[in-house]
Amino acid sequence: MENRSVTINYEDYGSREELDAADRALLDAAIEAVSGSYAPYSHFNVGAAVRLADGTVVKGANQENAAYPSGLCAERTAMFSAGALHPGVAMEALAVVCSREGALTPNPGSPCGACRQVMAQYEREAGKPMRIILGSGGHVWAFNGVESLMPFIFNDL
Ligand code: THU
């Protein structure tokens, strides 16, 4: 038996201003997307934006339902929308922000496991790492590849 460990690398930016122009624009799209959140139960608003290989940006926001499990996270809303509207166009990057009572959360929110699984599939389709940008009212974290967020992800190959 051997003990092994996994190291996760990510970039920690002090604020959105430190990002390059493309990442900042995607983060801003995620912030705009919060306005589409429908969260009458949790009052937790999440916005997401996917950047495609051709530069198109597709936004999504969490959508809740009285039958709770029927709701969907912002990340999957954005990715499924991108997949449906732009089939076959690679998803290069995804930005996410969370908001409560009209203010971005003080720390980056981290995507749920189901959303990470969906990211992994589109990343595999794209054939290159998806950049994941998690914003907040302060720091911004960026991960190059879903494996950095979710090691040992399920993969049916
Ligand atoms: N939510 C997201 O949109 N993304 C996540 O990664 C985690 C949670 C949503 C689901 C629900 O509408 C609300 O946040 C509270 O869980």
Side-chain angles (χ1 to χ4, degrees), residues 42 44 46 62 64 73-75 110-112:
S42 71
F44 190 71
V46 187
N62 58 328
E64 298 185 350
C73 293
E75 297 92 320
S110 201
C112 78

Side-chain angles (χ1 to χ4, degrees), residues 112-154:
C112 78
C115 288
R116 295 175 198 210
Q117 186 67 42
V118 171
M119 289 175 205
Q121 182 111 6
Y122 287 121
E123 180 180 75
R124 200 177 72 196
E125 287 291 329
K128 60 178 181 174
M130 181 186 286
R131 184 162 168 81
I132 299 144
I133 300 160
L134 306 180
S136 76
H139 283 232
V140 180
W141 297 341
F143 300 77
N144 288 313
V146 182
E147 190 76 15
S148 299
L149 270 181
M150 195 177 197
F152 301 109
I153 202 155
F154 174 71

Side-chain angles (χ1 to χ4, degrees), residues 37-112:
S37 167
Y38 175 65
Y41 304 101
S42 71
H43 304 285
F44 190 71
N45 305 110
V46 187
V50 180
R51 186 176 66 235
L52 306 181
D54 66 3
T56 305
V57 171
V58 178
K59 296 180 199 170
N62 58 328
Q63 304 296 315
E64 298 185 350
N65 190 276
Y68 287 11
S70 301
L72 197 64
C73 293
E75 297 92 320
R76 275 176 288 162
T77 304
M79 289 185 283
F80 289 154
S81 181
L85 293 171
H86 305 277
V89 185
M91 297 187 202
E92 277 191 341
L94 170 71
V96 188
V97 291
C98 303
S99 170
R100 248 198 202 102
E101 294 172 1
L104 293 178
T105 53
N107 296 304
S110 201
C112 78

